[in-house]
């Protein structure tokens, strides 16, 4: 098994290259930017339709008022995504362009929206049809958001623009500089739309959905969901944020399936689509990638090893809310040969059981809920309080227990033997010199940013640093964000720290901060977990980095 793990770890650079692909990252960043919209709109769905389960129905007027907020947010999701994905991809291109030749991000976002509308919106009397402006138009939004920055990069990198005299203000010059890429992009998509409607008979957005329907169907089968969630767990086991690689490829299916399930449920039909964000959050990754809720509870309540009991006790609450990095790196589970099989198998078995229940008549997910919702509660609520969902929630915990238990016993015994033999090394305490602490108290206000994939794991270290600063009487702020959200505000911070799963982005981060006063740092798994639990050491860690040690 160790030999297998070593071979897998040797492939890590290849997996990191996939994770860093600009287009996959653009989809991921675009979705992260739109998550508040998705969650906000779901609140109105819950208010409008959950009471139906208990026999209460709003009047048609009240329902229309509630659904207006949903239709004007989720109903234009593809428009929003065409802009947010284009922004992320444009930012990525700008990082590689000379300082004097940058793509106008705002212009690229606006033109991407126009390109998407050309591909997706049908003209009707008095306006535009909205059928493909929401989840149905997501695939078309990807195309518009990918192509638009590429066209802009072609013109900007070659300095092909209308050049104005030096006396003309920069904002006016920029307007003329944007004309060539803007006009070219709109013309290209206008031609594409014309050709599709002339020779195929309908728009690109409708055509691309028909093209991908077989893939959507295959992805929703037992083999498809096993490969998708098995791959997520596999990449995480290697130490790479699995969803950042897999999720962009299925994100459009996620959103579309939930909307189709909702429509089917409203019509009294079976909501039979399986693949969704809810399936990922509350079934496959029950407690976090690897379905780690049950193993965390086993560490906390069944382990004889002091180390594992401490890890389980301190990780139980975060894992309950879907933040499982403390147990991933604290046990550790990542790259631990003992847990390779259950870490990959538990999510696969979970989603196959979920599909079985759906095939037996239970509704799939009809609502999008925050991923921090406790897993079993998220499963029950997200499926519309289906009675079978309660049975499934209990069954998943039992099955995960059976899968993990033999491996837990082996690892617990091994840890106990090491503790008895005195082989468990004491962690080295991180300290700051008196001079560093004194200088920090006298210096101007400092700001630290911690980055992870979605801002949850990073908030643990950010909170620890902020707590340590408060206890030490230092004027220091610490906050957390998702990677990618920092691009335009780097100068606001003195230090940016990457959570362990974002280590593959360290070279890019160093390049981002190279021309600023900000410093960049990354962390290792066990070290990160230790720092989140000790505010004093977390503060010292940050101060030492800012001091240049």
């Amino acid at each position: 098994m160790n030999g297998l793990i070593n071979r897998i770890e040797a492939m890590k650079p290849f997996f990191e290259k996939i994770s860093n692909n600009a287009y996959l990252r653009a989809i991921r960043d675009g979705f992260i930017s739109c998550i508040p919209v998705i969650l906000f709109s779901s609140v109105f769905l819950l208010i409008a339709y959950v009471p139906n389960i208990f026999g209460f129905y709003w009047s048609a007027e009240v329902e229309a008022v509630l659904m207006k907020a949903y239709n004007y947010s989720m109903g234009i999701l593809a428009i929003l995504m065409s802009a947010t994905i284009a922004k992320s991809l444009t930012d990525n291109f700008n990082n590689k362009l000379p300082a004097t030749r940058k793509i106008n991000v705002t212009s690229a976002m606006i033109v991407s929206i126009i390109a998407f509308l050309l591909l997706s919106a049908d003209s009707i009397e008095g306006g535009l049809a909205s059928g493909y402006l929401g989840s149905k138009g997501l695939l078309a939004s990807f195309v518009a958001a990918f192509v638009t920055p590429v066209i802009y990069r072609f013109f900007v990198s070659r300095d092909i623009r209308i050049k104005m005299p030096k006396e003309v203000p920069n904002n006016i010059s920029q307007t003329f500089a944007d004309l060539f890429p803007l006009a070219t992009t709109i013309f290209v998509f206008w031609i594409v739309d014309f050709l599709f409607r002339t020779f195929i008979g309908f728009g690109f957005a409708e055509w691309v959905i028909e093209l991908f329907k077989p893939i959507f169907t295959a992805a929703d089968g037992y083999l498809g969901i096993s490969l998708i969630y098995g791959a997520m767990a596999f990449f995480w086991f290697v130490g790479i944020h699995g969803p950042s690689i897999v999720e962009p490829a299925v994100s459009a299916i996620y959103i579309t399936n939930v909307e189709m399930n909702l429509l089917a449920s409203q019509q009294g039909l079976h909501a039979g689509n399986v693949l969704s964000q809810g399936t990922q959050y509350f079934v496959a990754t029950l407690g976090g990638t690897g379905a780690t809720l049950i193993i965390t509870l086993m560490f906390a309540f069944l382990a004889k090893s002091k180390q594992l009991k401490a890890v389980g006790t301190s990780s139980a609450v975060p894992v309950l809310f879907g933040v499982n990095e403390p147990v991933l790196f604290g046990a550790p589970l990542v790259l631990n040969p003992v847990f390779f099989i259950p870490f990959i198998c538990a999510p696969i078995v979970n989603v196959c059981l979920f599909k079985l229940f759906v095939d037996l008549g239970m509704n799939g997910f009809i609502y999008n809920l925050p991923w921090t919702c406790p897993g079993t509660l998220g499963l029950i609520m997200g499926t519309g309080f289906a009675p079978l969902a309660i049975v499934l929630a209990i069954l998943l915990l039992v099955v995960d227990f059976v899968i993990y238990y033999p491996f837990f016993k082996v690892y617990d015994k091994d840890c106990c033997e090491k503790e008895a033999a005195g082989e468990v090394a004491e962690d080295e305490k991180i300290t700051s010199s008196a001079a560093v602490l004194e200088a920090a108290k006298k210096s101007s206000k400092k700001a630290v940013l911690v980055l992870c994939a979605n801002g949850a794991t990073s908030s643990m270290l950010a909170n620890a640093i902020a707590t340590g600063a408060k206890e030490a009487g230092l004027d220091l702020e610490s906050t957390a964000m998702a990677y990618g959200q920092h691009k335009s505000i780097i100068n606001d911070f003195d230090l940016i720290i990457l959570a362990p799963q974002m280590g593959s982005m360290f070279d890019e981060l160093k390049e981002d901060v190279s021309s600023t006063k900000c410093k960049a740092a990354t962390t290792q798994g066990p070290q990160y977990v230790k720092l989140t639990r000790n505010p004093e050491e977390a503060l010292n860690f940050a101060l030492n980095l800012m001091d240049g040690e």
Side-chain angles (χ1 to χ4, degrees):
M1 182 62 74
N2 281 318
L4 174 63
I5 301 303
N6 291 335
R7 284 194 292 273
I8 292 173
E9 192 170 14
M11 298 174 65
K12 188 174 180 178
F14 171 73
F15 299 140
E16 288 180 340
K17 188 174 182 180
I18 297 175
S19 177
N20 293 339
N21 179 271
Y23 297 91
L24 291 179
R25 285 178 51 203
I27 295 176
R28 182 201 68 196
D29 293 345
F31 264 105
I32 288 175
S33 299
C34 289
I35 281 176
V37 175
I38 297 171
L39 297 181
F40 169 80
S41 62
S42 296
V43 170
F44 288 90
L45 282 182
L46 292 170
I47 296 173
Y49 295 114
V50 167
N52 296 1
I53 300 167
F54 307 102
F56 175 83
Y57 293 83
W58 298 106
S59 66
E61 292 78 11
V62 173
E63 181 180 335
V65 170
L66 292 171
M67 289 305 294
K68 184 175 182 178
Y70 176 83
N71 293 331
Y72 282 42
S73 51
M74 193 69 176
I76 60 168
L77 181 66
I79 296 179
L80 305 178
M81 289 287 292
S82 65
T84 56
I85 293 174
K87 179 185 184 303
S88 175
L89 189 57
T90 301
D91 286 339
N92 185 281
F93 289 168
N94 277 339
N95 286 338
K96 299 174 178 64
L97 290 171
T100 55
R101 293 185 193 173
K102 299 290 186 184
I103 301 171
N104 184 342
V105 176
T106 303
S107 178
M109 293 172 68
I110 292 172
V111 174
S112 181
I113 292 174
I114 297 172
F116 164 72
L117 291 174
L118 285 169
L119 293 180
S120 308
D122 295 316
S123 298
I124 58 175
E125 185 177 353
L128 302 174
S130 61
Y132 290 92
L133 303 187
S135 62
K136 286 185 179 180
L138 284 174
L139 293 177
S141 76
F142 294 175
V143 174
F146 288 166
V147 174
T148 300
V150 170
I151 294 175
Y152 267 75
R153 181 177 61 176
F154 175 85
F155 283 92
V156 172
S157 63
R158 291 165 177 78
D159 200 25
I160 302 173
R161 59 189 173 94
I162 299 175
K163 298 179 181 179
M164 303 297 291
K166 294 180 180 179
E167 293 77 16
V168 176
N170 287 336
N171 59 333
I172 304 298
S173 295
Q174 185 62 58
T175 300
F176 284 91
D178 290 335
L179 278 178
F180 282 159
L182 180 151
T184 301
T185 304
I186 294 176
F187 181 74
V188 166
F189 282 96
W190 177 76
I191 289 293
V192 170
D193 176 68
F194 175 79
L195 293 175
F196 268 87
R197 295 186 186 279
T198 301
F199 295 103
I200 297 181
F202 46 83
F204 177 85
E206 185 176 353
W207 173 81
V208 78
I209 284 183
E210 292 298 320
L211 178 67
F212 278 86
K213 262 187 179 178
I215 298 177
F216 279 37
T217 302
D220 221 45
Y222 285 100
L223 179 60
I225 58 179
S226 297
L227 290 174
I228 289 166
Y229 295 111
M232 281 190 188
F234 174 80
F235 287 125
W236 244 124
F237 186 82
V238 178
I240 299 171
H241 191 263
S244 68
I245 298 178
V246 180
E247 213 172 24
V250 296
S251 53
I253 309 177
Y254 277 2
I255 302 299
T256 303
N257 278 355
V258 172
E259 184 161 332
M260 291 173 63
N261 280 347
L262 176 65
L263 291 175
S265 176
Q266 290 172 341
Q267 296 168 9
L269 303 175
H270 179 224
N273 295 300
V274 172
L275 198 61
S276 68
Q277 284 181 318
T279 307
Q280 177 184 332
Y281 296 157
F282 310 124
V283 179
T285 61
L286 187 59
T289 305
T292 52
L293 176 58
I294 201 68
I295 186 63
T296 305
L297 296 177
M298 290 163 71
F299 286 160
F301 298 106
L302 299 180
K304 296 179 181 178
S305 162
K306 294 179 180 179
Q307 173 197 340
L308 294 185
K309 188 172 288 291
V311 168
T313 302
S314 60
S315 303
V317 172
V319 171
L320 180 63
F321 292 94
V323 181
N324 72 335
E325 283 79 358
V327 73
L328 288 181
F329 298 114
L333 300 181
V334 170
L335 284 172
N336 186 331
V338 175
F339 290 107
F340 176 71
I341 292 175
F343 194 84
I344 306 297
C345 289
I348 295 175
V349 173
N350 283 4
V351 293
C352 288
L353 281 172
F354 177 67
K355 178 164 175 57
L356 176 63
F357 271 62
V358 171
D359 289 346
L360 292 174
M362 186 184 84
N363 279 339
F365 281 88
I366 57 179
Y367 305 118
N368 285 305
L369 298 173
W371 62 270
T372 49
C373 183
T376 51
L377 180 60
L379 170 60
I380 295 167
M381 290 180 61
T383 55
F385 293 89
L388 278 177
I390 300 173
V391 177
L392 177 60
I394 298 170
L395 179 61
L396 291 178
L397 294 174
V398 173
V399 169
D400 288 347
F401 181 89
V402 172
I403 291 173
Y404 267 106
Y405 186 74
F407 303 92
F408 158 75
K409 291 295 291 183
V410 170
Y411 192 56
D412 186 42
K413 179 181 178 183
D414 183 58
C415 289
C416 286
E417 290 175 353
K418 288 182 178 179
E419 289 171 4
E423 295 179 17
V424 179
E426 291 292 327
D427 289 328
E428 184 178 348
K429 185 177 177 64
I430 300 175
T431 60
S432 290
S433 67
V436 170
L437 288 171
E438 192 62 31
K441 291 181 179 180
K442 294 180 179 179
S443 66
S444 58
K445 189 173 186 177
K446 299 292 184 182
V448 177
L449 173 63
V450 189
L451 298 174
C452 69
N454 50 36
T457 307
S458 51
S459 67
M460 298 171 68
L461 179 56
N463 290 338
I465 294 173
T467 301
K470 184 177 180 180
E471 292 173 352
L474 296 182
D475 192 6
L476 185 150
E477 282 189 355
S478 180
T479 190
M481 291 183 182
Y483 191 92
Q485 295 177 334
H486 68 288
K487 297 285 187 178
S488 61
I489 54 173
I490 290 175
N491 285 315
D492 295 341
F493 296 94
D494 301 282
L495 172 67
I496 299 178
I497 305 171
L498 293 178
Q501 69 270 34
M502 302 307 296
S504 61
M505 310 306 300
F506 188 45
D507 288 339
E508 180 180 298
L509 179 62
K510 286 193 292 186
E511 186 177 339
D512 288 344
V513 305
S514 59
S515 59
T516 72
K517 65 180 178 63
C518 185
K519 294 184 178 181
T522 188
T523 52
Q524 300 301 314
Q527 173 197 40
Y528 189 88
V529 173
K530 175 190 172 187
L531 294 175
T532 61
R533 298 171 181 169
N534 192 318
E536 181 184 357
E537 292 197 33
L539 173 64
N540 290 334
F541 176 74
L543 291 178
N544 290 341
L545 289 170
M546 286 187 285
D547 191 52
E549 293 184 13

